């Protein structure tokens, strides 16, 4: 069943995905395994896009299909709680509209008891700085999926520094093209390769 889900997302099947996810859950597949099958579908779609087999409409359909599947899966992934674990601002950087990974991180954070302020996608440095000033979070989480846009993360960290906000705000970065090495280079406090690791690292940052 999980293979069929992967293929349905990969091929942008928005009609059957809700039913497929529901059947998989009904047959006792763990919600996190269903999520893995769904993200594998996006990965496979990305690879086909890279090799020239798929084009932008296929990417869009795959992400649409993922969203439809998430509507069924989300209630099974965890309970939202009070926001007492800490406060986190999340956003995707300037020039980048990818938000599926960021949204997953946000969803899991809320389930783990964090208050999450999601500033959305394609944000300038100023938007992040304003949000940090307004909400004073323990952690700022930045996401980027493009090798071009990830470079903007360093500007945000520098701006936090020059605004005197860096001491109070830990920064974690994530997204396909970034790495622990890149995080170190730009002076971020942490890097996470996936959403589950992100939640663990954010908990560590808040506890520091
Ligand atoms: Co785009 N896209 N896309 N795309 N897209 C990629 C990223 C790409 C790798 C595809 C490819 O070529 N193989 C490629 C980037 C190449 C590069 O820069 N090296 C690419 C490209 C080129 C583009 C366009 C330029 C295409 C074009 O227009 N010619 C364009 C750019 C638009 C823009 O941003 N300005 C574009 C557009 C789009 C869509 C809009 C169609 C759609 C996004 C829809 C949306 O997000 N609402 C889309 C999609 C769906 C993808 C792929 C297929 C899937 C991305 C995704 O959601 N993955 C992607 C290929 C791929 O990634 N294999 C691709 C699933 C998601 C759960 O994973 O986001 O990595 P991810 O998040 C993970 C971790 O990275 C981590 O945890 C998450 C969950 O485990 N993580 C964090 C992420 N953020 C984190 C933050 C944290 C911690 C962990 O703390 C704060």
């Amino acid at each position: 069943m999980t293979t069929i889900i992967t293929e349905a997302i990969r091929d942008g099947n928005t009609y059957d995905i809700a039913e497929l996810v529901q059947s998989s859950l009904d047959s006792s597949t763990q919600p996190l395994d269903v999520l893995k099958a769904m993200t594998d579908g996006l990965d496979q779609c990305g690879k086909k896009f890279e090799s020239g087999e798929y084009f932008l409409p296929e990417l869009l359909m795959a992400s649409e299909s993922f969203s439809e599947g998430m509507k069924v899966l989300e209630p099974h992934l965890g309970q939202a709680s009070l926001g007492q674990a800490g406060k986190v601002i999340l956003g995707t950087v300037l020039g980048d509209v990818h938000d599926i990974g960021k949204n997953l991180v946000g969803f899991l954070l809320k389930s783990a008891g964090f208050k999450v302020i999601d500033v959305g996608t394609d944000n300038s440095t100023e938007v992040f700085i304003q949000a940090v000033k307004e909400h004073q979070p323990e952690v700022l989480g930045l996401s980027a999926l493009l090798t071009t846009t990830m470079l903007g993360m360093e500007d945000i960290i520098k701006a936090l520094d020059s605004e005197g906000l860096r001491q109070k705000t830990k920064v974690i970065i994530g997204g396909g093209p970034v790495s622990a090495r890149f995080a170190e280079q730009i002076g971020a406090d942490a890097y996470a390769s996936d959403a589950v690791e992100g939640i663990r690292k954010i908990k560590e940052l808040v506890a520091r």
Side-chain angles (χ1 to χ4, degrees):
M1 177 62 83
T2 50
T3 311
I4 301 174
I5 290 176
T6 300
E7 288 169 358
I9 301 270
R10 179 194 69 199
D11 299 335
N13 178 343
T14 51
Y15 300 107
D16 301 325
I17 189 67
E19 200 179 320
L20 289 171
V21 169
Q22 189 59 59
S23 313
S24 194
L25 292 167
D26 290 346
S27 63
S28 301
T29 309
Q30 289 302 309
L32 280 178
D33 292 335
V34 178
L35 180 62
K36 166 91 172 56
M38 289 171 62
T39 52
D40 282 353
L42 284 176
D43 263 353
Q44 291 186 12
C45 178
K47 290 202 175 94
K48 284 181 179 284
F49 175 78
E50 217 162 354
S51 68
E53 194 181 331
Y54 281 4
F55 298 94
L56 197 54
E58 280 84 6
L59 277 189
L60 275 168
M61 289 304 287
S63 95
E64 184 62 24
S65 170
F66 186 91
S67 304
E68 290 300 314
M70 276 308 281
K71 287 183 191 161
V72 178
L73 183 63
E74 252 190 36
H76 298 267
L77 283 173
Q79 294 283 316
S81 53
L82 293 172
Q84 285 170 342
K87 207 189 286 176
V88 181
I89 291 180
L90 282 182
T92 307
V93 301
L94 190 66
D96 202 324
V97 302
H98 295 87
D99 66 357
I100 295 173
K102 167 187 70 62
N103 293 346
L104 275 180
V105 173
F107 178 78
L108 294 183
L109 276 173
K110 282 186 203 155
S111 306
F114 284 86
K115 179 171 170 62
V116 177
I117 296 112
D118 187 336
V119 295
T121 59
D122 190 14
N123 291 296
S124 65
T125 298
E126 291 70 33
V127 168
F128 285 111
I129 297 300
Q130 263 319 109
V132 169
K133 283 183 179 165
E134 185 184 340
H135 299 285
Q136 304 180 10
E138 285 93 347
V139 179
L140 171 63
L142 303 174
S143 185
L145 267 283
L146 299 172
T147 43
T148 44
T149 59
M150 67 189 246
L151 303 174
M153 291 174 157
E154 187 171 13
D155 299 335
I156 297 162
I157 294 174
K158 281 184 180 155
L160 281 175
D161 209 7
S162 60
E163 294 281 340
L165 299 165
R166 186 70 182 96
Q167 292 298 320
K168 287 181 275 176
T169 321
K170 301 276 184 268
V171 179
I172 179 167
I173 65 168
V178 306
S179 62
R181 188 153 175 266
F182 179 69
E184 201 180 323
Q185 268 171 23
I186 65 171
D189 299 290
Y191 155 76
S193 62
D194 61 39
V196 174
E197 190 186 3
I199 310 313
R200 184 172 58 73
K201 295 262 177 90
I202 288 170
K203 283 181 180 166
E204 284 170 13
L205 291 175
V206 170
R208 263 196 218 166

